[in-house]
């Protein structure tokens, strides 16, 4: 009788294990996505030394279908990294240099009267592309900045009463210099909120600086960016973006995200907290970071890793604390440390 019970128990355990194994195999297959991203990193590494944090955030934004603002002093490879990332994807690329005299029509396009047809024809501007690099975005005035509001949020522009849809994928990567303020304009908060990430780029360390110098010395390429080749098609990227949306997020992790956002609104050191758009951005970015790590489920570490880039441009430090040298990153760190991590 005891042997029969043991056999039944073993049989039930076996069925349970088989079910778990089947459940595991039925989950999202992230192998192709992970391998493709590794190829992208390898291509960028042919030219760029270090800056792994910036590259990871750019890839996460790519998977999230979100725009990126890169801030750093001149010469830390902001622009070239964005250009190289665009080269690894087989899509159209457009670069726009923002200047004080740039007009909205220089970005969006303009209607021109055609003598042949005796009617106005819309000539599309450089914003009509898949991957748009905007260099020195804070060098153009508010009138030009406002031209980006609709296209960044709704991925369309309205011109002369007609709507023009952007092709997919559509990604804006903008750079700005935080040091030089002469001839620059502060980005409106409404525009900042349209960026999924704000990435702060610092200087390389000693080993990386030596490697940069050696690479330049040993390089025999006329244009070193020529060594970078496309490794992902537009169709693959669209597939990966759809795949990331299916990544599993447990309910306690959604509550964890909500607590982080609510804490920014209640924090005494912040003049302005994060909006519900930040909650959705943090959820999306956390899925992308999970995908970067080859997982089909989000962990608290993914959320914490995404929090800084998602929130630092969406919150405003109170003037008193800012004068004391307190930064948004430091306040975000305190918030994350003060919330219990779900297990």
């Amino acid at each position: 009788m005891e042997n029969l019970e043991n056999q039944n128990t073993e049989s039930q355990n076996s069925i349970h294990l088989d079910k778990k194994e089947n459940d595991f195999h039925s989950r999202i297959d992230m192998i192709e996505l992970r391998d493709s991203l590794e190829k992208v990193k390898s291509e960028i590494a042919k030219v760029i030394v270090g800056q792994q944090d910036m590259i990871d955030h750019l890839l996460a934004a790519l998977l999230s279908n979100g725009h990126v603002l890169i801030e750093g002093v001149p010469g830390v490879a902001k622009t070239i990294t964005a250009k190289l990332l665009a080269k690894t994807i087989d899509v159209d690329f457009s670069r726009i240099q923002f200047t004080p005299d740039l007009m909205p029509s220089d970005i969006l396009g303009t209607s021109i009267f055609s003598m042949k047809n005796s009617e106005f024809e819309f000539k599309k501007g450089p914003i009509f592309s898949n991957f748009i690099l905007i260099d020195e975005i804070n060098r153009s005035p508010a009138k030009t900045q406002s031209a980006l509001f609709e296209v960044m949020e709704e991925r369309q522009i309205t011109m002369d009463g007609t709507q023009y849809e952007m092709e997919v994928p559509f990604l804006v990567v903008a750079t700005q210099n935080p040091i030089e303020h002469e001839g620059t304009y502060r980005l409106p908060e409404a525009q900042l909120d349209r960026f999924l990430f704000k990435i702060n780029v610092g200087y390389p360390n000693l080993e990386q600086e030596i490697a940069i110098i050696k690479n330049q010395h040993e390089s025999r390429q006329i244009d070193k960016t020529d060594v970078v080749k496309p490794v992902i098609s537009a169709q693959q990227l669209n597939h990966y973006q759809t795949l990331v949306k299916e990544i599993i997020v447990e309910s306690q992790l959604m509550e964890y995200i909500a607590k982080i956002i609510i804490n920014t609104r209640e924090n005494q050191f912040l003049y302005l907290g994060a909006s519900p758009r930040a909650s959705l951005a943090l959820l999306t970015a956390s899925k992308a970071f999970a995908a970067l790590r080859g997982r089909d489920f989000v962990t608290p570490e993914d959320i914490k890793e995404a929090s800084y880039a998602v929130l630092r441009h969406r919150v405003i430090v109170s003037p008193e604390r800012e004068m004391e040298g307190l930064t948004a990153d430091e306040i975000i760190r305190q918030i994350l440390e003060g919330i219990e991590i779900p297990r």
Side-chain angles (χ1 to χ4, degrees):
M1 185 70 178
E2 186 178 350
N3 290 337
L4 183 60
E5 290 178 353
N6 289 337
Q7 288 177 2
N8 290 336
T9 302
E10 290 175 1
S11 177
Q12 290 174 357
N13 289 338
S14 177
I15 292 171
H16 181 65
L17 289 173
D18 287 342
K19 185 177 184 301
K20 286 183 69 178
E21 186 176 356
N22 288 334
D23 288 345
F24 178 79
H25 286 300
S26 66
R27 294 172 71 155
I28 307 168
D29 185 3
M30 308 297 293
I31 296 175
E32 181 189 342
L33 184 152
R34 183 183 58 194
D35 291 345
S36 294
L37 294 182
E38 287 302 320
K39 290 178 182 177
V40 170
K41 289 183 179 181
S42 298
E43 289 295 314
I44 296 175
K46 292 177 180 179
V47 179
I48 300 298
V49 176
Q51 302 294 10
Q52 288 303 312
D53 185 62
M54 174 171 57
I55 294 170
D56 282 350
H57 279 77
L58 283 171
L59 291 175
L62 202 62
L63 294 174
S64 305
N65 197 24
H67 311 300
V68 181
L69 176 63
I70 308 176
E71 185 175 275
V73 297
V76 291
K78 303 185 302 293
T79 302
I80 192 171
T81 302
K83 289 176 67 176
L84 293 175
L85 177 61
K87 288 196 71 173
T88 64
I89 308 164
D90 190 15
V91 295
D92 291 335
F93 172 73
S94 181
R95 184 184 188 276
I96 309 173
Q97 180 67 51
F98 268 35
T99 56
D101 61 346
L102 195 72
M103 299 296 290
S105 59
D106 297 327
I107 302 170
L108 305 178
T110 186
S111 294
I112 299 176
F113 185 77
S114 173
M115 299 295 292
K116 182 179 179 180
N117 301 327
S118 297
E119 60 184 21
F120 283 94
E121 292 182 355
F122 179 63
K123 299 296 183 182
K124 295 181 178 180
I127 199 69
F128 284 88
S129 188
N130 299 119
F131 195 113
I132 296 92
L133 170 61
I134 298 177
D135 208 14
E136 300 285 355
I137 190 172
N138 57 339
R139 290 206 173 275
S140 287
K143 183 177 182 179
T144 305
Q145 297 288 352
S146 63
L148 297 172
F149 281 22
E150 180 184 8
V151 71
M152 288 181 64
E153 178 64 21
E154 302 174 38
R155 287 171 166 78
Q156 68 175 31
I157 69 165
T158 304
M159 189 68 65
D160 297 330
T162 304
Q163 290 184 349
Y164 298 90
E165 300 288 337
M166 298 293 114
E167 293 184 3
V168 292
F170 178 75
L171 175 70
V172 173
V173 176
T175 69
Q176 69 175 12
N177 176 5
I179 304 301
E180 187 178 359
H181 298 294
E182 186 175 348
T184 63
Y185 302 84
R186 181 182 176 89
L187 268 63
E189 298 302 329
Q191 184 176 357
L192 284 173
D193 202 34
R194 282 162 167 77
F195 286 102
L196 175 69
F197 289 148
K198 180 184 177 185
I199 307 172
N200 290 341
V201 184
Y203 288 116
N205 57 35
L206 178 60
E207 292 76 14
Q208 292 170 344
E209 194 83 27
I210 293 171
I212 291 169
I213 296 170
K214 284 184 176 179
N215 284 354
Q216 180 65 27
H217 174 66
E218 296 170 358
S219 175
R220 298 295 182 265
Q221 301 286 340
I222 297 175
D223 183 0
K224 56 187 178 182
T225 62
D226 286 342
V227 299
V228 177
K229 305 299 180 185
V231 293
I232 297 179
S233 67
Q235 292 76 17
Q236 283 178 300
L237 179 57
N238 290 335
H239 171 64
Y240 297 155
Q241 289 175 345
T242 302
L243 207 61
V244 167
K245 294 177 182 178
E246 303 299 324
I247 285 180
I248 300 163
V249 185
E250 300 293 341
S251 58
Q252 61 266 33
L253 292 180
M254 295 184 189
E255 184 179 346
Y256 182 52
I257 291 172
K259 287 180 179 179
I260 293 172
I261 302 303
I262 293 297
N263 268 264
T264 66
R265 300 171 192 167
E266 299 174 349
N267 192 285
Q268 59 180 332
F269 299 151
L270 292 177
Y271 173 74
L272 178 70
S275 68
R277 182 184 285 167
S279 300
L280 302 179
L282 189 51
L283 173 66
T284 303
S286 301
K287 292 181 180 181
F289 276 107
L292 279 176
R293 309 300 176 235
R295 286 184 274 101
D296 64 350
F297 59 93
V298 171
T299 66
E301 286 69 30
D302 297 323
I303 297 172
K304 293 175 73 173
E305 185 174 8
S307 292
Y308 294 94
V310 168
L311 296 176
R312 63 166 60 104
H313 59 295
R314 289 185 164 95
V315 299
I316 298 178
V317 182
S318 63
E320 299 83 7
R321 299 303 176 183
E322 193 171 21
M323 290 179 63
E324 294 174 2
L326 196 62
T327 64
D329 279 19
E330 178 62 23
I331 296 172
I332 294 168
R333 184 188 63 80
Q334 294 175 5
I335 289 173
L336 292 174
E337 289 178 351
I339 301 175
E340 184 180 356
I341 299 175
R343 299 296 180 187

